[in-house]
Every structure is written in structure tokens, then in C-alpha cells.
Amino acid sequence: MKENNIVDFLLDYSKRKKAVFHMPGHKGSHLYREFGYGEFLDNFMECDITEITGADNLYYPQDIIKNIQDEYADLYGVEATLLSVNGASNAIIASIMTACDYGDKIIVIGDAHKSVESAIRLYRLDAVRIPYMTGSENICYEDIALTFSETEGVKAVLMTNPTYKGTINDVSAVANLAHKNNAILIVDQAHGAHLKLFSDCGISVTFGNNSECSGNADMDYSKDSVNADMTCVKPSAEDCGADIVINSLHKTLAVMTQAAIVNVVSIKIDKNLLLENMQLIQTSSPSYILMTSLYINSQIIKSHGKELFIRWKESVDAFLARCESFKKISIIKSNNIDFTKINIDFSQTGLLAWQIEKLLVMQGVYMEMYNGNIVLAMTGIGNREEEYEALYKALEDIDNNSNKYISMFGKQRNNDDKSFEFKLNDMPNISNDFNLGKGDFSINDIDIEALNLKRYIGKIADCDIIPYPPCVILVRKGECITAEHIEKIEEYILGRHLVYGVSETGEIAIK
């Protein structure tokens, strides 16, 4: 039997895909070819170089790399921009190292990416964590004000905005509270690199009506307040008072995976120290392919941005309007959700999200994330009309035939013969050349009780436990594992998610 290999996987994916609703945002080569960069794509390998004469240097930029940085500083209207070829993760760590000294206090708001924890450990920071409001990704601003009043010497505040699923909180309110207390505000805007660019075109990025966003550090924020009307024309951190903003351009824009930028917004930030910290933790052999994709993206946006952002907005609006006809499938909408993140609720179909994801993949539709009954379609600057059409058709099929799919899933759940396979020709509108193999749809092929994870309740974790996605730490190394943690871990495993720190046989490293 031929072994699986990454080349075959990627080539098979490239042939099979009909619609790409996962990162990166370019969604393939067509934008580069459409706007005159086909020669670069055709000579991809020949363009993979190191710091030869004339190629400039990422850590001492004077020429072509400096020009890229200047282009982004101009696009985002900031003091300076630095490039990251190690993604937003590298940029987040370097930004925290720049804002804080060893052992300083930092406030971390809501769920933070694991790179934040990396910076906290590297610098032995005293982290004060403020959770989101119960059952949501909304911030309680009163909790932030209270934390400042009870905590002396806070050097920095870090918030994630928007969240992975697209929730937008009021950055200006947090900025006012941070600055009132002489703290630096760092915003992980990894999933919102497009926010500033949409705003500059006068396009609202939320589902609500346009209105200016504002925040007041003196406001009496109640426990229930979330600034519910976050229908901002300008919700980007660059426009709302942040000091440092990290943008993971590859997530939604025309940039290759792993390319990101750090925007220095405030003159309070030492740009030379930030560059020094980037150099400390980033590769000494930066990819010129990635940096070139950053340049191409800047030129496409500079020359054609408005038309592309209008097209993006109109395409999503048209798709959402068509989805109103579904009987069982619905779109989650809120005034403070970024419309480019389409959260699709399948709870009324009777199918689980991971089962939906399998059905979509079989129709050549690839999504960003599935969890519980929700599947996330991450749209990007490169999505074309035919992709929205393919997604709509696949959803329409599931909406109309969910009972048939439930029946087939049910047959497999109750079938004692482990060799049982789906007969793909029994499934409407799905190609027979796609074989997911035996047992791939079964809910019985994970025996959660056999893993016996409950034996770890009350134990001290000797590693981080991180569900992926969204790569947010559930249990930190050195933390006591609770019954709630185990319940969450079991949910992720049953939902077919990877959980870093938990082996396939249910082993967790403990102290």
C-alpha cells in the first residue's frame, strides 16, 4: 500500500476543492494572476533566495524590505510597521516583550492565543486574567476597571479582537482604561487585518447598522453591559487607541500562510526595541517568498482594494440573503460579529458539526472550523462567486436531505459490523470517487469511557492542554485539572478535535 505523503495530499486537495472557506485569505493563485503577478508564481522556486546582494535585510531594512514596511504603515495609518515571517505568534511574543520588563504585571482579557502564554513564561510575567462574560465572547468593562483598581503596577493589557469566531468588542473603551492607568494596550488583531481597510472604504464590518464606535473609561459599566451596539464604521484597533496591533494578514487577505505584520500605533513604543525582540525570537533566514507575498498584497490593495472589498461585502450579503430560505440551517448574526466570519448553525438538522464537515468536504467544500453544531466559513479577499455558489448548493443539499443523512449515520452507529462502509451513491449530490474509509462517520469509534479521563481530576497538569482549533489553552502546565476541564476535553474529543496534551489512548502528563 502506498504511504500517505504531503505532496499527494496537497495536490489531491488542489484538484478536489470547489470552495475554500478556510484561511489563508487569498484562496488560491487567481488574484495574483488577475493583477499581473503570474510571472512570480510561475518562477516560484527560482525566487526562493537568501540575503544576497541587493536583497536587503529584514533586521536592518534599508531598501526593498523597508519599502514593504512603509507601504503597510501608510495603508494602516500608523507610526511604523514591522514584518513577521513567523506569523502573528512571533509578533505577539515580541510585542509583549517590548511592553513589559521581566516579572511585570500584564492583564490578559478573554481567551488568548497560546503565544501569549509563551511570552508570559519567557518573561516570567505576573498575569492577571479577566474572562469573557459567561456564555459569550463579550467583555465586561467593569471587570477591567475593577482589576485596575485592585492591581498596582500593571504595565500592559492584551486583548484579542476580533475573536476567532468574529466577535468584536470595544477596543476604544479598553484603550481608555489602559491609558488612564499608564498601561500599554496590545491588541491581537490576527483575525481582523481587514477591519481597518474596510473602514477606510466606508464599509461596515458588522451585521448591524453603521454608527461610530466609542468608549469611555469613566463610564459606569454594569456587569451586563457589552456595548451591544458595536456596529462600528471604524472598529479596528488602529483607529481605537491601541498602542501595538498585530495583524495576521494571511488569514483574510492575499498573503501566504505565516506572513504577518506588527503595527506600531503609539509614539510610546520603542520601535528599535521591538525590532530587537523580533530578531531575538524570529528566524535568521526569513522567507523572501513570504515577504514578496506581503508586498504583492499591499500593491493589490493599494490599486484595487476598494473594488475588492466592495465585491467581498456584496458577495457575502448576497449569500446570506439566499440562506434565509433554509428550513433547518441558520446563520448566527449579531451587531458585534464580523460579517466575514459566517457561523452556520446546524442544530436543527439533527447532525453534528463534524458530520456536516465530512459531508461538505465530500462535495469539495472546505471550511475553517467545526464545533458542536456550528461550522465556521472564513471568507477572504480571494473568494469568488462560484465558491459562494458551491457552498450554498452544499448547504441546500444538507438542509433538504438531513433526515436521509441522519438515517445513514444512525445505521452506522447501530451496526455491530465494524467493516460497514457508507455507500456514497446513496448520498445525494456526492461524488462516488471520494472514499473516507471505514468507520469515519461513526460516533461509536470513540469510546470516551475507555479513555478514563476522569482519573485526572484533581491532578496537576505537567503540560498545556490545548484544543485545536482555536489554539487557546484550556489547562495550563502546573494547573489543577478540574471536572469541568475533563468535561470540555471529552466534548472536544467526541467532536473529532485534536487536543494537544492528550494522547490517543487518553494519557495526560501530570506531576
Side-chain angles (χ1 to χ4, degrees):
M1 180 183 292
K2 184 179 178 182
E3 289 186 0
N4 292 333
N5 67 73
I6 194 168
V7 174
D8 288 346
F9 171 81
L10 290 175
L11 290 176
D12 182 64
Y13 160 83
S14 69
K15 295 169 187 173
R16 191 177 302 284
K17 66 177 182 178
K18 295 179 183 177
V20 179
F21 289 99
H22 58 76
M23 62 179 86
H26 56 67
K27 312 302 182 183
S29 64
H30 66 95
L31 274 184
Y32 280 29
R33 296 193 185 281
E34 180 182 347
F35 294 113
Y37 296 99
E39 184 178 3
F40 166 70
L41 294 176
D42 294 339
N43 292 278
F44 191 84
M45 294 298 290
E46 280 64 42
C47 295
D48 188 15
I49 62 169
T50 187
E51 291 93 340
I52 59 175
T53 300
D56 207 358
N57 189 293
L58 179 60
Y59 304 116
Y60 199 93
Q62 296 177 298
D63 190 13
I64 56 178
I65 294 175
K66 183 179 184 299
N67 291 342
I68 302 172
Q69 295 182 162
D70 291 344
E71 289 281 8
Y72 279 104
D74 183 59
L75 276 174
Y76 284 89
V78 295
E79 287 287 318
T81 298
L82 299 182
L83 310 183
S84 173
V85 293
N86 280 18
S89 298
N90 178 89
I92 288 168
I93 296 170
S95 297
I96 293 173
M97 291 168 63
T98 302
C100 297
D101 290 324
Y102 195 87
D104 277 344
K105 290 186 174 72
I106 182 172
I107 291 175
V108 179
I109 302 172
D111 293 338
H113 188 265
K114 71 184 185 75
S115 58
V116 175
E117 188 68 24
S118 298
I120 290 170
R121 292 180 189 176
L122 285 169
Y123 256 40
R124 296 291 192 269
L125 299 178
D126 182 2
V128 182
R129 296 178 172 88
I130 303 175
Y132 291 129
M133 296 175 66
T134 303
S136 75
E137 293 181 329
N138 294 316
I139 290 171
C140 179
Y141 304 97
E142 185 187 58
D143 285 349
I144 303 171
L146 181 62
T147 300
F148 269 116
S149 71
E150 295 177 344
T151 311
E152 293 183 1
V154 174
K155 281 291 189 72
V157 177
L158 184 135
M159 69 180 294
T160 303
N161 196 73
T163 66
Y164 180 53
K165 296 178 183 177
T167 299
I168 296 176
N169 283 289
D170 191 347
V171 175
S172 60
V174 179
N176 288 339
L177 288 166
H179 296 157
K180 182 179 179 181
N181 290 276
N182 300 314
I184 297 294
L185 176 60
I186 304 168
V187 178
D188 173 5
Q189 195 173 257
H191 287 279
H194 55 288
L195 297 183
K196 168 72 172 171
L197 308 174
F198 268 99
S199 298
D200 288 349
C201 293
I203 303 171
S204 174
V205 296
T206 59
F207 283 108
N209 299 317
N210 291 346
S211 64
E212 290 293 338
C213 80
S214 61
N216 187 340
D218 298 317
M219 186 180 295
D220 181 20
Y221 294 109
S222 71
K223 287 284 185 183
D224 298 323
S225 71
V226 296
N227 193 11
D229 191 25
M230 268 298 300
T231 54
C232 310
V233 175
K234 295 186 176 182
S236 73
E238 289 89 355
D239 285 326
C240 289
D243 297 296
I244 306 176
V245 183
I246 297 96
N247 288 295
S248 189
L249 301 186
H250 73 88
K251 287 179 167 61
T252 53
L253 301 178
V255 175
M256 294 180 187
T257 297
Q258 205 170 305
I261 60 172
V262 188
N263 282 334
V264 178
V265 186
S266 168
I267 60 173
K268 294 183 288 185
I269 304 305
D270 187 335
K271 291 175 283 189
N272 292 326
L273 178 59
L274 178 58
L275 178 59
E276 180 183 328
N277 288 327
M278 292 284 285
Q279 184 176 354
L280 278 174
I281 58 176
Q282 189 167 227
T283 177
S284 61
S285 301
S287 166
Y288 275 78
I289 300 298
L290 293 184
M291 290 188 287
T292 301
S293 79
L294 283 165
Y295 170 75
I296 291 173
N297 177 70
S298 72
Q299 297 308 293
I300 290 174
I301 290 173
K302 188 176 178 181
S303 302
H304 306 282
K306 188 165 187 177
E307 92 183 59
L308 288 171
F309 295 131
I310 290 173
R311 185 168 78 189
W312 187 354
K313 169 70 170 170
E314 290 177 345
S315 295
V316 173
D317 284 348
F319 171 78
L320 294 175
R322 295 182 72 190
C323 290
E324 294 291 334
S325 65
F326 293 145
K327 300 180 288 294
K328 298 178 180 178
I329 296 172
S330 61
I331 307 298
I332 297 174
K333 297 181 181 180
S334 171
N335 283 351
N336 68 329
I337 291 182
D338 173 6
F339 79 86
T340 70
K341 310 294 191 297
I342 304 176
N343 291 276
I344 308 172
D345 184 355
F346 291 90
S347 57
Q348 297 303 308
T349 66
L351 295 163
L352 297 173
W354 66 267
Q355 296 168 329
I356 296 291
E357 193 252 358
K358 297 291 187 187
L359 297 175
L360 292 174
V361 167
M362 293 170 76
Q363 301 195 54
V365 177
Y366 290 82
M367 307 291 267
E368 170 64 25
M369 184 273 295
Y370 58 95
N371 188 18
N373 297 112
I374 308 299
V375 176
L376 172 61
M378 188 177 288
T379 68
I381 195 171
N383 279 120
R384 293 170 286 185
E385 290 302 321
E386 53 263 39
E387 292 179 280
Y388 290 101
E389 178 65 20
L391 175 57
Y392 176 79
K393 289 293 186 184
L395 295 180
E396 183 181 46
D397 167 51
I398 294 170
D399 194 62
N400 290 333
N401 296 288
S402 61
N403 288 337
K404 184 170 185 177
Y405 291 134
I406 288 170
S407 176
M408 288 190 293
F409 283 123
K411 278 199 300 184
Q412 190 169 7
R413 285 195 200 102
N414 298 324
N415 199 303
D416 293 329
D417 180 5
K418 295 301 181 183
S419 68
F420 177 85
E421 290 187 63
F422 271 108
K423 303 299 183 184
L424 297 184
N425 55 7
D426 289 338
M427 306 177 77
N429 303 325
I430 292 179
S431 169
N432 280 306
D433 67 354
F434 197 103
N435 186 5
L436 286 175
K438 299 175 182 179
D440 209 21
F441 282 82
S442 176
I443 215 162
N444 286 335
D445 59 1
I446 295 179
D447 188 345
I448 202 69
E449 294 302 323
L451 294 180
N452 191 23
L453 294 173
K454 291 182 175 62
R455 71 186 187 274
Y456 293 109
I457 295 173
K459 305 294 185 182
I460 304 299
D462 199 27
C463 65
D464 290 329
I465 300 176
I466 310 172
Y468 185 87
C471 224
V472 172
I473 297 175
L474 176 63
V475 183
R476 294 176 182 81
K477 182 177 180 178
E479 188 176 357
C480 182
I481 302 171
T482 68
E484 288 183 351
H485 289 146
I486 295 300
E487 184 179 349
K488 279 287 185 185
I489 292 168
E490 290 178 342
E491 286 178 10
Y492 277 109
I493 292 173
L494 285 172
R496 303 309 197 271
H497 289 271
L498 291 174
V499 182
Y500 301 160
V502 181
S503 74
E504 290 183 2
T505 56
E507 300 298 322
I508 299 174
I510 56 174
K511 292 184 177 181

